[in-house]
Amino acid sequence: MKQLKYWILTALLLLAVTDLTAQSFKLSAGLREMLTEDATVLRRVADSQSRISLIMKVKEAQQMAQVCADYGMEMVTDLGHIAVVAVPVDQIEKAASDPRVVRMEKEGGFHYCIDKARETVNVNPVTNGQSPLSQAYTGSGILVGVLDCGFQYNHPTFIDANGKSRILKSWDKEKTDGEPKDIVLTTSDEILAHECSYGSRYGKDPSNHGSHVAGIAAGSGRYKGMAPESGIVLSDFNVPMVKEGSSQLYSDGVLTGMSNLFSYATEVQKPMVVNASLGNNMGFSTETKLMQEAFAQLTGPGRIIVAAQGNEGDEKEGCCYLSSGTNTQGDVNMKCGDLKISSDIYWRSAASLSVVFDIKKGNDTKTVTINSSELTNEVKVSDQGDYVVKSLRLDDAPDGKQVWKVSFVPKNEGGFDLNIVAKVTGSQPFEAYTKFLNLINAPQGFTLSTAYTCCVPAAFPNVIAVGNFCNRNFPNDVQDKVGVMNTSSSWGPTWDGRNKPDVSAPGSILSAGNWYCPENEEEKTKETYDIPGKEYKETWVGQNGSSQASPTVAGIVALWLQAKPDLTPDDVLGIIRETSKAIETIPNNHSGAGIINAYAGLCKILGLPTAIPALSKNQPEGVTFRLAGDVLYADGAEDGCPVTVYSLSGAVLQKTTVQQGSISLHGFQKGVYAIQLGTQGSTLVRK
């Protein structure tokens, strides 16, 4: 163990993969930090053969196989010139110095970021819950992929009327004597027999997160999801234990899971939208550049990714942005409350900074001085007894400013408070971004906000980022106001100044599929019922967060893909921007284009707003449509109300009135028609 640790530290000292003036390092910051960890921690991340899975880029795609062979790497996910590979620990130095290798990347910190919601986003007119339109657009023929943890495969929301699983394929793991073994479930019988995913089966991750998210996007049970007839494809990632009681999800695992899902879509030649209700708040760190490039490669026509914006929009959650304005120096007060995991602060400036940290633990005060001009690719570690202070330089920002990271890391279980005063001196103004570290106050002329809290991968240009709109709240909840954004919803911009989120959707108390086992007895369930012969119960539960808002949008995108299977991410963004209901001035970094409108978006895709200028984009309030043969019943509409029936090309086919609560469609051929009800609104009908 000591020899391994010694080799790693020596390698880092020798590995000058770039000089101080370079804009980016060949090894990402997370990988450099990982290689300085204690060997026992490193082995928890590595497999039984002391290999680390990471993302690697080579100059030319045809070089990848030979590079892997030269350094004993195992291919995990092949994306051409970018791949996820398992690299022997003792080969990282040699591989990184190889001129064919452009970059090696492994970033951690990723974490998990309906009944009423369907009304808020106007989905009912396009599904079988409220309108004949549901017969036309239910997600049929479209795949909804979910990358998450904690699936209950045999929940009734994932089972069709014939008792078959609507889950078509799932990547999972199975318990072995050593490392968990990768498995793929491909038939209805084996999926249902497996019951639930690895982490849930063995108590590694007693979460219902994946079931809840998948149910919102595509469930067909009591609380119907957005695309209830879509095919469901799941990828459950295993979260390795990095320290006792602490888990970690890495960027290479996210990329492999995403690639697996889209590989199935390619295999069966069907459109797919993937939901990723997970993320890492990167602030203005650009350390996931390979991951961003790979995501862009995976998306395209009929290949859409939707992701949660994040839940760190409240300064009390420990993620906060500070700007010094025009000031070049000042004292910044911070606090690490109950330090159990790494608490980080990122600095950005056009010039070097000197920061003196006065760190108080109880009555003991330590002083650590960091000069950014002295930071290179090496990770500097200052041992303070119960904790260490790490510092390193990251890749430079797109605007050329330099970025540094300082971390306060407990050596053992932690659980203590640190009160910190950072005395900052520089020749240029500076910015700071904290993660799990509260900024208590800002000096005069400084500003505090929750900017830059948007998560990766939602921050990527080709990913649809979704914020959390408060559509309802718990009784006595005085913090979140119905009708505005939830206070926890994360804010943009991204590290390169782009606006995020792209759109918002309900994420407050959405009811969807949950699972029951002894580990989650404290869950506040909406409704439970026993399964004969099983030790758990099926449940429905209401949960909050951008994790719930994101699959709402993903399910709607599935409905849109049914209407136009070759939609691209740019197409979806365009539809969102033209048809969503704005709740703030656009553009903004809070709610994006506003609340997504499934019905208006579908009309846009079908060309109805331009082909039929007189057609309303909204469903008539208080009117429910139901089709029986040649008669369209309009329950709630007044007799005598004018009715115009259009073809989808915009031709007027019939002008009539509501008679005895109904509209005659006698003589109409099978097809989809647009019905305008006076000035009240419109609906689409499949006859």
Side-chain angles (χ1 to χ4, degrees), residues 283-360:
F284 28 72
S285 165
T286 62
E287 295 295 319
T288 53
K289 57 184 64 178
L290 292 189
M291 187 180 180
Q292 176 174 322
E293 187 176 342
F295 269 46
Q297 183 176 324
L298 288 171
T299 55
R303 302 287 186 267
I304 312 295
I305 299 174
V306 178
Q309 172 82 355
N311 302 316
E312 285 71 36
D314 187 338
E315 293 177 19
K316 298 177 183 178
E317 296 296 323
C319 289
C320 191
Y321 168 73
L322 175 144
S323 171
S324 71
T326 59
N327 297 287
T328 59
Q329 60 183 7
D331 293 352
V332 182
N333 293 330
M334 298 172 282
K335 181 175 182 178
C336 295
D338 195 23
L339 182 65
K340 291 183 178 179
I341 59 175
S342 177
S343 294
D344 309 319
I345 181 166
Y346 299 81
W347 303 90
R348 182 167 69 178
S349 178
S352 298
L353 296 177
S354 175
V355 185
V356 178
F357 291 97
D358 288 334
I359 311 166
K360 187 174 183 180

